[in-house]
Amino acid sequence: MCGIVAYIGDKPAYPILMKGLQRLEYRGYDSAGIAIMNDKLHLYKKKGKVADLEAFMEGKDYQGNIGIGHTRWATHGEPSDANAHPHFSKTKSLVIIHNGIIENYSALREELKKRGYKFKSETDTEVLIHLIEDIQVKEKVDLFEAVRIALNEVIGAYAIVILSKDNPDQLIAAKKGSPLVIGVGNDEYFLASDASPIVEYTRNVVYLEDGEIAIVSRKEDLKIKTIKNKDKTPYMQELELKLEMLEKGGYDHFMLKEIHEQPRSIRDSMRGRLNAKKGLVTLGGIKDYETKLAKAQRIIIIACGTSWHAGLVGEYLFEEMARVPVEVEYASEFRYRNPVILESDVVIAISQSGETADTLAAMQFAESKGATILAICNVVGSTIPRTSHAGSYTHAGPEIGVASTKSFTAQITILALMALQVAQEKGTLPRSKFQQLLNELESIPEKVETTLKSNDQIKYIAEEYKNATNFLYLGRGYNFPVALEGALKLKEISYIHAEGYPAAEMKHGPIALIDEEMPVVVIATKKGSYEKVVSTIQEVKARKGKVIAIVTKGDKEVKAIADHCIEIPETFEAFAPLVSVIPLQLLSYHIALMRGCNVDQPRNLAKSVTVE
Ligand code: F6R
């Protein structure tokens, strides 16, 4: 939800800001802007993508070695030039970029209006910069102090950077709820929503904490204070991120690259944790909570979107292997419905970005009731893992395509390892079964690799159904969450209406939708309720629906009745989602591409949802 980037140092700021905005564009892409200081403070902004801003910049004055940039996902006010960031203060002495939401902006705006302030945009951000300047003038304080006083009046979430015309050697930045990383170079600083705009210049970073304000001055050490005016010592960390992880690596789209990365990302998520030879599972990150997990009377999984679908697979895994009751909750519902939370509960929050506002709020709520909070997250150092008691990173690497793909399979991999670790601790699985599961899990990356070879066949099927207006996805057992995930992938990137259902539920309603125009994707892998799923396929065919089936290699029964069959290697039912989701990801990718959609940046979406 909005990307922010800033630079102060000896280099020209413009290329650093522009490249930074391109890297952060996954966070929002409805408008973009930059402010650069030379002997004047210049501000340029434009509705549209970063590329539109770049075209607009031709011939403009953008010299200078201090500047700020922003790429927006609209919350307050439609996408427009006026609502794009940065925003000037009244006297145009200050300029701000902001990621987050100022919740009490309306009251502050009315107050400022009464005092004669006029607003050029509908944004909450413009309110904040007017408030800061108002305090600076009224209280006769420096910019840091004005920001500090203003932030004490503000309710909401923010990561902000402010540049002042009167002090071209300093940037003031602050954070609460939205991420902000400061890259520390040689006599230069880089500020950004994540490390992607920073990594090619320096590996030394400081993650700003909630309630902290950074004073970033040219040729001076970084200073951090809290909004209560206490000094903090910056804690420097080394980035593990590699530049090539942020590039398309020869693929046309990030989404396609990320789909193909899954053999590697699943393997990396298991590395050092699964030792099939020794018959051991060790998730180091949750070691101190091993007993707590094993003794939990109940596990509550909270997440949103694709991560919620992975959570559903987690429910099946924990219940089957570790014999512990599990509830899977939409974070947005859980936090507002006064749920019963017990101190013996273990809550597992799942999030790719580690920033999702609903998930964060739900885990904080559960913690306030005494539950133990574990996190499964992909982005290292992000808010959700830092707010939890313990957790495990997925090691999928940066996911830049807005539609989640490799993070889904990496999350399931971690959930499988966690369930196996608890089973190992509790002794809920016979030793031989436990060993078979470890061996099978270890073989999954290879099976994903084999499945990826169906790409051309899937492309051919996509061609036939690219103009459909509705799709139904059906699966049972472990493959039911996969049906939900397949439908979500299709609707979010191709804008085709799609629904996922447990296969047996079809007869309770959705069957009315089936006619010769309706493609039905059925995950009909062997094991589990295979025979029953075959009956569902018969019911679809009896009503002339078109069946695209995901089947186990060598299947004959479904092949005899379905319109198309995509074969995947045989695996245990519990691990089927790791393989059966791959053809569905590819199908949605090819259909979206054939419909001329922007696969990596679908309309109205953003990669991390930091608003409620
Ligand atoms: C779907 C998608 C979203 C996210 C959801 C949660 O492709 O990307 O549904 O899964 O917004 O995001 P995280 O996992 O970052 O908490």
Side-chain angles (χ1 to χ4, degrees):
M1 296 269 125
C2 300
I4 66 177
V5 59
Y7 174 75
I8 178 168
D10 298 330
K11 298 191 178 85
Y14 179 74
I16 296 169
L17 297 179
M18 267 308 179
K19 208 183 239 186
L21 289 181
Q22 279 151 6
R23 295 245 164 89
L24 293 171
E25 203 168 16
Y26 73 89
R27 301 177 65 86
Y29 34 83
D30 62 43
S31 54
I34 56 167
I36 288 195
M37 177 85 192
N38 41 44
D39 45 347
K40 284 195 188 130
L41 179 53
H42 300 274
L43 189 155
Y44 307 103
K45 50 190 190 171
K46 203 79 206 127
K47 178 180 168 184
K49 306 228 169 202
V50 174
D52 298 309
L53 175 70
E54 209 170 4
F56 174 69
M57 291 301 292
E58 222 161 277
K60 304 275 191 306
D61 180 3
Y62 51 68
Q63 303 310 311
N65 41 32
I66 179 168
I68 60 179
H70 188 275
T71 178
R72 180 170 186 252
W73 185 85
T75 56
H76 295 70
E78 58 169 11
S80 67
D81 291 356
N83 288 332
H85 297 216
H87 291 282
F88 267 135
S89 63
K90 186 177 169 187
T91 65
K92 298 199 170 169
S93 296
L94 304 179
V95 69
I96 188 171
I97 45 172
H98 168 216
N99 167 32
I101 286 190
I102 308 300
E103 287 170 15
N104 59 337
Y105 89 104
S106 175
L108 293 169
R109 187 180 167 110
E110 288 316 304
E111 183 57 38
L112 288 162
K113 265 188 181 167
K114 274 190 215 147
R115 299 220 293 278
Y117 281 86
K118 293 208 167 47
F119 289 85
K120 294 197 166 60
S121 77
E122 301 152 274
T123 63
D124 49 341
T125 309
E126 197 187 359
V127 175
L128 183 56
I129 197 64
H130 285 329
L131 177 68
I132 291 168
E133 187 169 72
D134 193 64
I135 293 169
Q136 211 185 1
V137 174
K138 249 185 12 206
E139 310 278 334
K140 298 194 175 32
V141 289
D142 65 11
L143 180 59
F144 161 76
E145 188 57 10
V147 170
R148 196 185 73 75
I149 297 170
L151 293 181
N152 276 290
E153 288 183 31
V154 153
I155 301 168
Y158 51 79
I160 54 169
V161 185
I162 300 168
L163 166 59
S164 165
K165 195 167 83 176
D166 302 326
N167 191 352
D169 293 323
Q170 190 179 77
L171 292 168
I172 300 287
K175 166 193 157 43
K176 186 182 160 215
S178 303
L180 193 59
V181 193
I182 303 174
V184 181
N186 287 331
D187 289 335
E188 58 182 355
Y189 293 99
F190 307 81
L191 295 85
S193 297
D194 70 28
S196 61
I198 297 175
V199 64
E200 66 188 278
Y201 308 105
T202 176
R203 306 202 75 78
N204 299 324
V205 293
V206 174
Y207 289 91
L208 215 58
E209 298 284 344
D210 279 354
E212 289 183 349
I213 305 174
I215 303 152
V216 188
S217 306
R218 202 186 292 279
K219 303 212 177 348
E220 279 185 32
D221 287 346
L222 176 65
K223 283 196 197 71
I224 297 180
K225 287 176 179 260
T226 68
I227 64 167
K228 302 287 172 223
N229 216 3
K230 284 209 175 99
D231 289 327
K232 293 285 287 278
T233 310
Y235 170 57
M236 190 100 81
Q237 300 185 41
E238 200 177 324
L239 282 178
E240 280 176 20
L241 190 69
K242 292 195 183 82
L243 197 55
E244 58 271 21
M245 291 174 167
L246 303 169
E247 280 153 8
K248 286 191 195 138
Y251 288 93
D252 289 341
H253 298 94
F254 281 111
M255 183 181 178
L256 191 61
K257 175 189 174 217
E258 287 156 8
I259 291 173
H260 280 86
E261 273 176 344
Q262 288 174 105
R264 197 253 332 128
S265 55
I266 296 173
R267 211 173 271 128
D268 283 355
S269 298
M270 297 193 295
R271 197 184 308 281
R273 295 163 165 174
L274 169 66
N275 190 333
K277 260 196 202 120
K278 290 195 176 151
L280 271 180
V281 178
T282 323
L283 281 162
I286 57 163
K287 202 147 185 34
D288 295 346
Y289 289 83
E290 216 169 29
T291 317
K292 184 105 201 167
L293 245 178
K295 289 204 168 129
Q297 298 296 304
R298 178 173 69 154
I299 291 175
I300 303 172
I301 296 179
I302 49 178
C304 304
T306 290
S307 299
W308 184 79
H309 296 156
L312 285 179
V313 179
E315 176 182 22
Y316 291 38
L317 289 163
F318 273 109
E319 294 202 339
E320 184 184 345
M321 295 176 186
R323 305 308 296 152
V324 52
V326 180
E327 283 171 28
V328 187
E329 301 269 2
Y330 283 116
S332 54
E333 288 298 312
F334 180 75
R335 59 183 289 205
Y336 285 119
R337 69 166 173 76
N338 199 12
V340 177
I341 302 167
L342 309 172
E343 286 189 9
S344 56
D345 286 337
V346 173
V347 170
I348 303 177
I350 308 177
S351 174
Q352 187 285 131
S353 62
E355 282 183 44
T356 304
D358 284 319
T359 308
L360 183 61
M363 60 192 270
Q364 285 167 336
F365 173 72
E367 196 198 355
S368 74
K369 303 283 176 202
T372 299
I373 317 293
L374 305 180
I376 297 177
C377 192
N378 193 39
V379 177
V380 177
S382 57
T383 313
I384 287 176
R386 285 193 295 143
T387 312
S388 60
H389 291 116
S392 295
Y393 284 112
T394 46
H395 298 173
E399 190 178 69
I400 292 163
V402 165
S404 286
T405 51
K406 63 176 177 173
S407 62
F408 177 71
T409 47
Q411 287 163 348
I412 294 174
T413 305
I414 300 295
L415 286 161
L417 292 171
M418 269 191 190
L420 285 162
Q421 183 160 328
V422 179
Q424 171 182 268
E425 176 84 6
K426 285 171 78 173
T428 41
L429 287 171
R431 189 67 225 174
S432 60
K433 177 75 187 167
F434 181 77
Q435 185 61 50
Q436 280 168 10
L437 284 161
L438 299 197
N439 295 346
E440 184 59 24
L441 189 54
E442 206 174 52
S443 76
I444 291 293
E446 230 171 88
K447 295 186 177 179
V448 170
E449 210 147 338
T450 309
T451 307
L452 286 165
K453 294 192 181 127
S454 308
N455 187 45
D456 287 347
Q457 184 203 358
I458 295 167
K459 205 163 157 181
Y460 172 82
I461 298 171
E463 186 67 48
E464 193 162 334
Y465 296 99
K466 64 174 192 249
N467 295 321
T469 45
N470 293 291
F471 264 77
L472 196 58
Y473 285 73
L474 302 174
R476 272 190 94 142
Y478 283 92
N479 280 325
F480 159 54
V482 177
L484 294 178
E485 177 59 8
L488 177 64
K489 285 291 86 87
L490 187 71
K491 63 189 145 198
E492 68 184 333
I493 62 167
S494 73
Y495 321 137
I496 295 175
H497 170 245
E499 285 191 55
Y501 259 92
E505 277 293 303
M506 185 188 72
K507 57 185 177 293
H508 298 291
I511 197 164
L513 293 169
I514 292 174
D515 60 16
E516 58 277 10
E517 303 293 316
M518 177 66 115
V520 184
V521 179
V522 189
I523 307 134
T525 49
K526 282 264 164 67
K527 311 236 165 76
S529 313
Y530 174 75
E531 295 302 338
K532 295 191 195 310
V533 176
V534 174
S535 305
T536 304
I537 295 175
Q538 296 281 15
E539 287 157 19
V540 174
K541 286 313 301 170
R543 286 154 188 88
K544 300 196 165 47
K546 299 279 184 290
V547 172
I548 303 160
I550 314 302
V551 296
T552 306
K553 190 167 173 50
D555 180 287
K556 291 202 174 65
E557 230 173 313
V558 176
K559 263 195 197 145
I561 47 176
D563 298 85
H564 309 272
C565 280
I566 303 162
E567 287 191 336
I568 63 173
E570 183 163 3
T571 180
F572 290 1
E573 199 193 349
F575 304 139
L578 291 166
V579 189
S580 61
V581 76
I582 308 292
L584 307 192
Q585 294 170 343
L586 286 168
L587 184 67
S588 58
Y589 169 80
H590 288 299
I591 291 181
L593 203 61
M594 286 167 189
R595 289 167 70 95
C597 300
N598 187 334
V599 171
D600 282 337
Q601 295 176 344
R603 69 184 180 203
N604 304 339
L605 290 171
K607 185 76 184 157
S608 69
V609 185
T610 53
V611 294
E612 280 194 38

